[in-house]
Amino acid sequence: MAVFNQVEFDNHEQVVFCADEASGLKAIIAVHNTKLGPAVGGCRMWDYAKDEDAVYDVLRLSKGMTYKNAVARLPFGGGKSVIIGDAKTIKSDALFKAFGRHLERLGGSYYSAEDVNITTGDVMVMNQETNYVLGLEGKSGNPSPFTALGTFLGIKAAYQHKHGHQDLSGVKVSVQGLGAVAYGLCKYLHEAGAELFVTDINLASVDRVVTDFGATAVGIDEIYDLDVDVYAPCALGATINDETIPRIKASIIAGCANNQLAECRHGEILREKGVLYAPDYVINAGGIINVYYETKPEGYNEALSTKHVEGIFDTLAEIFSRSESEQKSTHIIADALAQEIISNGL
């Protein structure tokens, strides 16, 4: 399995393959860049079809965290980790303790937190073996509500740029994926008067949003063909690709999923189509911003965290404006902003 010659490798500082026979742990930790500080990024548990898929995912996610943390003006570098396996069957305290021991061996070059299929409770178990974890219960806790807030504000920023106002009453929004963050996003959108169309592989999650917010349930594949104003990808990545772009009718794409563009060129295709894309690592930074406030010497402060998350609106407004004036896609502008911050410091 080649790693160094993958485009996604992008000069990662460290990629560690972890295993523990007793617990069944198989994991990969990727540290992309630590120029601004220790690498920080969540741990994802997923039942990858093959090891190569896990490597590809962790490398893309790790680089994304470098850019996310930079644009969010956090003193963190970028890293990510994945645990390979079905979260419904392999989770155990022994597994998370084993993962915690692997984190400990890295000596603080990487701090983990929760991500897909990992809970704050799981992170607390890791914490029994290492202090190199964030998002702890009793401190900053669950980052999902803050990611949801930032994503909602990002949608408002996109709508403001596109239409000159932020009123979402009657605006049609399709939400793909209904995990903890997306549920919070749906709540914000519902309270703002938006009309929701939702889908998820978990039918219970769909039913919950339909019941709580009057959403309309649609099929997994049908989500791309809806005549809506905003498409919010909130599941796994790469849903914006050669197959889906011709089908998407929304004039705004803004959601909380990571790595939404299958390839960089898809961002430029969206721009040429007149679709305003909110770069994923900018709009979904609320969670990592909240985690940062756990590290403050004076202790966690929710009000300060929330104020920082609210800045996502202004950051996206700047990116949208620069994209328009420079005639470049929004993800290229976001990357350039991240690279400027990494080169020049916070």
Side-chain angles (χ1 to χ4, degrees):
M1 178 174 58
V3 175
F4 289 107
N5 63 353
Q6 286 193 32
V7 172
E8 295 74 24
F9 182 73
D10 191 59
N11 295 313
H12 267 71
E13 295 178 9
Q14 192 174 25
V15 181
V16 180
F17 293 81
C18 311
D20 179 73
E21 184 176 3
S23 67
L25 173 72
K26 292 182 180 179
I28 308 171
I29 300 171
V31 176
H32 178 249
N33 186 293
T34 57
K35 186 170 182 180
L36 295 179
V40 179
C43 177
R44 167 175 297 187
M45 181 177 284
W46 196 256
D47 195 11
Y48 296 96
K50 54 185 185 295
D51 292 347
E52 289 84 353
D53 294 343
V55 172
Y56 174 80
D57 203 25
V58 78
L59 292 177
R60 290 193 80 196
L61 291 165
S62 177
K63 178 181 177 181
M65 287 305 305
T66 295
Y67 283 32
K68 179 186 294 191
N69 291 335
V71 173
R73 305 280 180 172
L74 300 175
F76 292 157
K80 203 78 175 184
S81 53
V82 297
I83 295 175
I84 300 170
D86 185 348
K88 295 178 181 177
T89 60
I90 73 164
K91 278 192 175 186
S92 69
D93 283 2
L95 181 141
F96 290 119
K97 286 180 180 179
F99 184 70
R101 291 192 292 273
H102 281 286
L103 292 177
E104 184 68 18
R105 292 189 185 106
L106 293 179
S109 62
Y110 168 70
Y111 284 71
S112 187
E114 65 89 35
D115 193 23
V116 176
N117 289 326
I118 300 290
T119 67
T120 53
D122 299 330
V123 176
M124 294 299 290
V125 178
M126 299 175 195
N127 188 219
Q128 294 178 33
E129 300 289 338
T130 183
N131 288 322
Y132 301 128
V133 288
L134 295 170
L136 296 172
E137 295 173 359
K139 294 185 178 180
S140 68
N142 183 4
S144 297
F146 297 86
T147 308
L149 173 61
T151 305
F152 172 67
L153 294 173
I155 290 174
K156 294 187 75 174
Y159 206 82
Q160 169 74 43
H161 185 82
K162 197 80 172 175
H163 301 285
H165 65 87
Q166 302 174 35
D167 184 6
L168 299 182
S169 298
V171 172
K172 296 180 179 180
V173 183
S174 60
V175 182
Q176 178 186 41
L178 297 171
V181 175
Y183 179 86
L185 173 62
C186 287
K187 185 175 187 294
Y188 280 118
L189 290 168
H190 173 69
E191 290 172 349
E195 184 178 353
L196 299 174
F197 300 84
V198 300
T199 194
D200 193 284
I201 58 175
N202 186 331
L203 295 181
S205 296
V206 174
D207 291 342
R208 183 186 181 200
V209 174
V210 168
T211 300
D212 291 355
F213 309 127
T216 299
V218 301
I220 294 293
D221 191 58
E222 184 185 355
I223 198 79
Y224 300 109
D225 300 310
L226 300 179
D227 187 9
V228 296
D229 303 293
V230 180
Y231 162 52
C234 297
L236 296 182
T239 62
I240 303 170
N241 53 54
D242 290 331
E243 179 184 338
T244 61
I245 288 175
R247 300 166 59 187
I248 294 172
K249 298 178 178 65
S251 61
I252 293 170
I253 297 178
C256 63
N258 288 309
N259 297 328
Q260 294 170 25
L261 302 177
E263 299 178 35
C264 285
R265 63 186 177 85
H266 293 127
E268 184 60 26
I269 294 172
L270 292 177
R271 189 184 73 83
E272 291 171 354
K273 284 189 60 176
V275 177
L276 183 60
Y277 168 63
D280 46 31
Y281 62 77
V282 182
I283 194 172
N284 68 14
I288 193 66
I289 289 171
N290 187 58
V291 162
Y292 163 65
Y293 281 86
E294 180 177 312
T295 71
K296 302 288 280 184
E298 63 271 25
Y300 175 70
N301 186 307
E302 183 176 345
L304 291 178
S305 173
T306 301
K307 184 177 181 180
H308 195 151
V309 172
E310 289 171 349
I312 290 173
F313 183 102
D314 296 325
T315 301
L316 282 170
E318 176 189 350
I319 289 169
F320 296 150
S321 179
R322 284 180 56 175
S323 171
E324 191 170 292
S325 63
E326 297 178 27
Q327 289 297 290
K328 295 178 181 178
S329 60
T330 53
H331 82 288
I332 294 297
I333 297 297
D335 286 358
L337 178 59
Q339 289 159 5
E340 289 168 13
I341 295 168
I342 293 167
S343 295
N344 301 326
L346 297 172

